[in-house]
Amino acid sequence: MSVKTIKVDYLSRVEGEGSLHVKIKDNTVEDVRLQIFEPPRFFEAFLRERDFREVPDITARICGICPVAYQMSSVHALENAFGVKVEGQLRALRRLLYCGEWIESHALHVFMLHAPDFLGYPDSLTLSKDYPDLVKSALQLKKAGNEIVALVGGREIHPINVKVGGFYRAPRKKELKPLAEKLKQAREIAIQAVKFTATLPMPEFERDYVYVALRHPDEYPFNEGRLISNKGLDIAISDYETHFREEHVQRSNALHSRLIGSKPYFVGPLARYNLNFDKLSPLAQETALEAGLETSCNNPFKSIIVRAVETLYACDEALRLIAQYEEPDAPAIEVEPRLSSGYGCTEAPRGILYHRYKVDKEGLITEAKIVPPTSQNQKIIEDDLLKFVTKNMNMPTDELTLRCEQAIRNYDPCISCATHFLKLHIERS
């Protein structure tokens, strides 16, 4: 018996600390384990006894790439607890802020983290030597998203302008106008990004997934909607915990989330696209179809194209919101705390992000629950790897290792929204 081991100590194009162990014995994949060993950071615990007004600023620190998602899920949950609803221009500003986060996060992933896999480069710095214009365009696109977050959110990283009930300050109409010209240029870059990603060599890997995403009757989902799946799920956000359950597995410091009575499920751009294609803007729909995507897509490697389509949509939607913007009478509505529980779920760039809070009559948090997208995708990532390795077992080991890494990056995993490496270990016997 011979044993062959492949080890990648530092994979820098994911967020968080973890390792992947694949064991192949007698041409059979015996075990696939995505091990998350980054220490827990206890955000849910230290939110307890904090004033509800502090929650958006604290939860924003969970992630430097998608802080808006954490803020939005938290304020929606707390507003649900207090029986208030933000509407009109304040609601539109929240969508605009989410557009900014999607643009900057998707641009980072598409060009800097994932494209090198398809083009045979170890990283974006090496890629930039041969594709300097591509990287410059990516940075310009990302900058447009950052500028939206900075203006509406107060700063580019960990925004400080979001509060329960609205914002501390609403931007003036004239402040948004300069963004519109930059977004028009960004939209053209996003169109080219869809076309570019559609030319990348795609492994053949189609699967029958359980997709879960928000669904809103009038718009592509950011902040609000019902939770649906392509297998019959259709629930209110408040019913999340009766259908989804988090479980601890010995190999991981991150909880695994599962849909009760179902196989592993998939959240993120591919899920949103499959469940909400009809809600994309006409330009985003047309560009996706011209690039060769159909109204549904079941190849996770093509998620890079879908992210580009969503980037285009976010540019389009941001321009629409800016054109229709009128300064609100006040930057926020009054909120009075009460003894209650509240639920919120929004679409982070990587998928649904669920928050639940219990609050006492003084407005202090007594219990917090946060379920990030990557914990929901962990099991389906393992499932993909099992199927992919089984299908490609005869592939040269070096190439199979790279493809496994690429398969993980299909999900743009934010392992715990913190540091940056993954260890890969494949054992053959």
Side-chain angles (χ1 to χ4, degrees):
M1 181 181 71
S2 63
V3 177
K4 190 170 186 178
T5 300
I6 301 172
K7 191 176 182 181
V8 178
D9 288 319
Y10 300 100
L11 173 63
S12 61
R13 285 180 279 129
V14 297
E15 292 82 34
E17 295 183 348
S19 63
L20 174 68
H21 181 90
V22 178
K23 183 176 182 179
I24 302 171
K25 184 177 182 180
D26 297 330
N27 289 323
T28 300
V29 182
E30 279 199 341
D31 192 23
V32 175
R33 285 176 284 145
L34 184 60
Q35 298 170 300
I36 307 304
F37 52 81
E38 181 172 300
R41 294 185 297 151
F42 305 114
F43 270 89
E44 293 163 313
F46 63 68
L47 280 168
R48 292 199 293 267
E49 304 303 320
R50 306 302 292 253
D51 188 279
F52 76 92
R53 299 171 187 86
E54 298 179 87
V55 173
D57 288 334
I58 293 173
T59 56
R61 269 64 177 182
I62 293 174
C63 184
I65 297 175
C66 49
V68 171
Y70 282 95
Q71 289 185 322
M72 288 295 103
S73 289
S74 71
V75 297
H76 277 281
L78 289 166
E79 288 159 5
N80 176 259
F82 301 147
V84 299
K85 190 170 180 62
V86 172
E87 298 182 304
Q89 290 298 324
L90 294 178
R91 182 181 186 277
L93 277 176
R94 286 180 170 180
R95 283 189 68 79
L96 179 59
L97 184 58
Y98 233 127
C99 287
E101 178 156 282
W102 273 27
I103 293 167
E104 60 89 8
S105 178
H106 281 350
L108 173 67
H109 174 80
V110 169
F111 294 101
M112 306 299 181
L113 305 183
H114 212 188
D117 284 328
F118 294 91
L119 296 172
Y121 292 89
D123 52 54
S124 58
L125 289 176
T126 310
L127 174 71
S128 67
K129 295 177 182 178
D130 293 334
Y131 293 88
D133 292 338
L134 179 71
V135 173
K136 287 177 184 177
S137 295
L139 293 173
Q140 184 179 347
L141 182 59
K142 186 180 187 304
K143 185 177 179 181
N146 286 348
E147 290 190 14
I148 295 174
V149 176
L151 178 58
V152 182
R155 63 184 182 192
E156 293 179 4
I157 308 298
H158 306 318
I160 54 174
N161 193 34
V162 174
K163 66 180 292 187
V164 181
F167 297 88
Y168 289 100
R169 177 188 180 273
R172 303 294 298 273
K173 191 170 183 176
K174 65 180 181 181
E175 291 177 302
L176 293 179
K177 286 185 177 180
L179 285 181
E181 289 306 311
K182 294 179 181 179
L183 280 165
K184 289 175 183 176
Q185 297 174 26
R187 183 169 60 183
E188 291 303 312
I189 294 172
I191 291 172
Q192 296 306 313
V194 176
K195 295 177 179 179
F196 162 72
T197 54
T199 66
L200 297 173
M202 296 289 165
E204 293 185 9
F205 190 66
E206 298 260 336
R207 296 195 58 202
D208 180 22
Y209 290 106
V210 177
Y211 293 115
V212 176
L214 288 176
R215 171 80 179 178
H216 190 278
D218 303 318
E219 59 199 18
Y220 201 73
F222 281 157
N223 293 64
E224 296 175 316
R226 291 177 64 83
L227 274 171
I228 70 165
S229 78
N230 57 326
K231 305 295 184 181
L233 182 74
D234 187 351
I235 61 171
I237 303 305
S238 57
D239 292 328
Y240 177 91
E241 289 177 63
T242 64
H243 293 267
F244 296 83
R245 182 170 298 161
E246 285 188 298
E247 298 175 338
H248 178 258
V249 293
Q250 189 174 3
R251 64 183 178 273
S252 176
N253 285 339
L255 297 175
H256 281 206
S257 183
R258 68 180 180 91
L259 180 57
I260 298 170
S262 175
K263 62 182 183 179
Y265 65 100
F266 192 136
V267 303
L270 211 61
R272 288 190 293 260
Y273 183 89
N274 279 279
L275 297 173
N276 294 282
F277 177 85
D278 61 315
K279 300 302 179 185
L280 287 168
S281 63
L283 177 60
Q285 289 184 11
E286 177 185 344
T287 306
L289 295 174
E290 287 179 353
L293 286 177
E294 298 181 359
T295 57
S296 63
C297 174
N298 296 303
N299 183 341
F301 290 93
K302 291 185 178 181
S303 63
I304 190 172
I305 311 174
V306 173
R307 276 188 173 85
V309 172
E310 285 197 335
T311 308
L312 171 57
Y313 169 78
C315 292
D316 230 10
E317 178 71 350
L319 283 165
R320 182 189 71 82
L321 292 165
I322 290 172
Q324 297 179 359
Y325 179 67
E326 297 293 338
E327 294 174 26
D329 294 332
I333 60 176
E334 290 296 324
V335 175
E336 290 294 330
R338 65 185 185 186
L339 179 66
S340 56
S341 296
Y343 313 87
C345 185
T346 69
E347 285 283 357
R350 293 157 186 82
I352 57 172
L353 172 58
Y354 172 77
H355 285 223
R356 171 177 56 79
Y357 299 98
K358 289 185 179 180
V359 190
D360 70 14
K361 63 181 180 180
E362 303 299 327
L364 298 181
I365 305 299
T366 60
E367 185 178 328
K369 183 179 179 67
I370 299 172
V371 187
T374 296
S375 73
Q376 301 182 72
N377 274 336
Q378 281 185 79
K379 188 58 183 172
I380 198 66
I381 293 172
E382 288 184 338
D383 210 40
D384 271 4
L385 289 164
L386 177 64
K387 302 294 192 302
F388 187 81
V389 174
T390 300
K391 180 181 178 181
N392 297 282
M393 206 171 308
N394 295 324
M395 187 180 288
T397 299
D398 288 349
E399 184 179 351
L400 182 57
T401 300
L402 292 172
R403 291 301 187 188
C404 285
E405 297 171 23
Q406 185 178 1
I408 294 169
R409 282 191 281 266
N410 287 335
Y411 292 82
D412 191 16
C414 193
I415 288 173
S416 69
C417 300
T419 53
H420 304 273
F421 75 90
L422 181 91
K423 294 181 180 178
L424 177 63
H425 178 88
I426 297 181
E427 179 183 333
R428 295 177 186 266
S429 64

